Amino acid sequence: MSDEKVAVITAGGSGMGAASARRLAADGFKVAILSSSGKGEALAGELGGIGVTGSNQSNDDLKRLVDAAMQRWGRIDALVNSAGHGPRGPLLEISDEDWHRGIEVYFLNVVRAVRLVAPIMVGQKAGAIVNISTAWAFEPSAMFPTSAVARAGLAAYTKIFAEQYAAENVRMNNVLPGWIDSLPATEERRQSVPMQRYGSSEEIAATVAFLASPGAGYITGQNIRVDGGLTRSV
């Protein structure tokens, strides 16, 4: 088994997932990246890691990524679950199919990867899982109905996971981004943020990297808002 730190990043070809991969690589992690576009494979090559072109909605594609990381490095220290974009629309017009699609994109993407990686981390007696969620998981917006509903479920899943695996030194936390520069910018949205600006993908990546680090070793089961003060509930 290698002594190198290893991070697996899903949906890591662009945006916050790619920024997280770059930051973790800069922090000394070897990276294995999954993306559906091929950009993750290219980024992994740039960072000296492993890339797989595939979907986080496919157990087979996720297994290919995890198996490749284990074959090359023999361990996984961090798992970062990012996601694409699910269905949107007026609440009562969202079909059953689109609700299911939202759960696939925003919740089961985590469940599938965790099912593969958590047993490895339990065997190591160490590991950190970080899920990139949304600021609207607890203060939902009609703009993002399937995201808000599915990620409220993700928050519950994270708390259950933390309770069951904290004693194994395997942690799970969620990062809750607000308006980030990987999204289309509008003045109305900018004005809604107390800091009066969009956040950057690099700021999200810095939070992800902290939660994956030994400095966050006593943090698990939490939802960390990174939104410029947009949501401020207890």
Side-chain angles (χ1 to χ4, degrees), residues 180-217:
I180 303 301
D181 60 7
S182 59
L183 297 168
T186 70
E187 184 63 17
E188 180 183 4
R189 292 174 181 176
R190 186 183 70 80
Q191 290 290 343
S192 72
V193 181
M195 290 189 75
Q196 297 286 286
R197 67 175 179 87
Y198 273 53
S200 69
S201 295
E202 289 71 25
E203 287 171 316
I204 301 303
T207 307
V208 169
F210 167 67
L211 290 171
S213 76

Side-chain angles (χ1 to χ4, degrees), residues 40 61 148:
D61 291 346

Side-chain angles (χ1 to χ4, degrees), residues 13 24 48-49 97-98 103 107 110 128 135 141 159-160 166 180-181 184 186 191 210 218 229:
L24 289 166
E97 291 76 17
D98 278 348
I103 291 169
F107 176 64
V110 172
S141 166
K159 292 178 181 181
I160 295 168
I180 303 301
D181 60 7
T186 70
Q191 290 290 343
F210 167 67
Y218 203 50

Side-chain angles (χ1 to χ4, degrees), residues 60-139:
D60 290 342
D61 291 346
L62 286 162
K63 189 174 187 301
R64 280 198 295 135
L65 182 72
V66 171
D67 287 350
M70 290 299 290
Q71 182 175 359
R72 181 158 174 182
W73 296 300
R75 62 182 301 114
I76 297 173
D77 300 278
L79 168 64
V80 179
N81 290 305
S82 188
H85 299 287
R88 297 170 57 185
L91 191 65
L92 300 184
E93 296 177 15
I94 299 171
S95 66
D96 286 4
E97 291 76 17
D98 278 348
W99 279 115
H100 284 293
R101 173 73 173 158
I103 291 169
E104 289 278 347
V105 171
Y106 296 123
F107 176 64
L108 289 176
N109 67 310
V110 172
V111 172
R112 293 187 189 96
V114 170
R115 191 185 291 130
L116 292 169
V117 173
I120 295 167
M121 293 178 168
V122 169
Q124 298 167 176
K125 294 291 185 182
I129 300 169
V130 184
N131 307 316
I132 299 178
S133 180
T134 178
W136 294 276
F138 299 105
E139 298 181 35

